[in-house]
Amino acid sequence: MSLKQTITVFETMDSAYVSGETIKGLFADYADVHVTVETVSGQKGSTDFVKIVIPGKEGKSRGGTAPTFGIIGRLGGIGARPSRIGLVSDADGAVAAVASALKLAEMQKQGDVLKGDVVITTHICPNAPTRPHEPVDFMDSPVDILTMNKHEVTPEMEAILSIDTTKGNKVINHKGIAISATVKEGYILRISDDLLRIMEMTTGQLPVTFPITMQDITPYGNDLYHINSILQPCVATDAPVVGLAVTAQSAVPGCGTGASHEVDIALAVKYAVEVAKEYTNGTCRFYDTDEFARITSLYGSMKVLQTLGK
């Protein structure tokens, strides 16, 4: 179960004083877990980027060859102080990512070591700005999306699960979690059967997916509409990226407080951990390599969609 770790992280982050060092302290009792914190300033303030590495028994960090899995907690900020008091809905991605790391660390301590490394990244900002967005306001960030990708999308990640609150829209009408199609090098590929299978197993329900468009997989800053930042990691890597959305039936603003649901976040954590187990063990594919080779041979590179264009 992952609810214990989710509540621990939730309560830790629900503070005006939380920082990256606070999050690092959650892992003080796990000797094999490596946590680094870097404070980065932008035009709208500063935030702490956190990177957590859970080494696998045959992971590349130990000289092995097992695949390395990446989990990214995407958000603008975990709080909108002083205009809003408390943890905002946008914090769900950060809570889920850190709780996933805490669960994996505890598993390792209890003797359940994954085959490959897992790299978890996110950022901690309890006083981020907000910005207008339709149909509801979004959280903004102290730093731009290129800076976020620089610190959160690492070269080690061979496949990425990007977790983000995705409630500020009218196209997802489901409370819980949902996944996107796989995005790789500007292509929106078919939804992974393995990821659907794992979702059925972890939720005990039929899998739920959400639609994405070409606009969503282009970089922020091109004046196109994006559902949110859930797929922004795909513009900074050739690794396959899948969005794991924490969702709601109604449109909920990212800057709304009292709008996070611990059970839904814990479900995202459980899903992320199970995907990490299978991906690092070689039993979960994010995409079909032969089909990707075929589509690129037919239609060429789509990497232009990873840029700001002309």
Side-chain angles (χ1 to χ4, degrees), residues 182-245:
T182 299
V183 180
K184 178 174 168 61
E185 298 176 49
Y187 275 99
I188 300 175
L189 304 175
R190 61 179 292 192
I191 296 176
S192 162
D193 286 336
D194 288 330
L195 294 178
L196 293 175
R197 169 180 56 79
I198 296 170
M199 178 172 275
E200 286 181 320
M201 178 179 68
T202 55
T203 64
Q205 297 178 320
L206 293 174
V208 179
T209 63
F210 68 94
I212 56 174
T213 67
M214 290 178 70
Q215 293 100 306
D216 295 322
I217 69 169
T218 60
Y220 271 20
N222 59 6
D223 295 326
L224 294 176
Y225 179 90
H226 295 74
I227 188 169
N228 65 357
S229 67
I230 191 166
L231 288 166
Q232 285 301 292
C234 78
V235 307
T237 180
D238 288 346
V241 177
V242 169
L244 172 57

Side-chain angles (χ1 to χ4, degrees), residues 1-3 5-6 69-74 91-101 103-104 120 161-167 174-179 195 198-199 202-203 230 242-247 261-277:
M1 300 296 290
S2 52
L3 186 57
Q5 288 77 23
T6 299
F69 185 57
I71 299 173
I72 299 176
R74 291 319 303 253
D92 292 0
V95 174
V98 175
S100 298
K103 178 62 177 179
L104 289 166
I120 302 99
L161 201 60
S162 174
I163 311 176
D164 198 348
T165 317
T166 311
K167 303 173 182 176
H174 166 79
K175 181 180 179 295
I177 62 172
I179 61 169
L195 294 178
I198 296 170
M199 178 172 275
T202 55
T203 64
I230 191 166
V242 169
L244 172 57
V246 181
T247 59
H261 305 279
E262 294 85 345
V263 174
D264 294 340
I265 301 171
L267 192 56
V269 173
K270 185 190 295 186
Y271 181 74
V273 168
E274 292 304 316
V275 174
K277 289 180 189 178

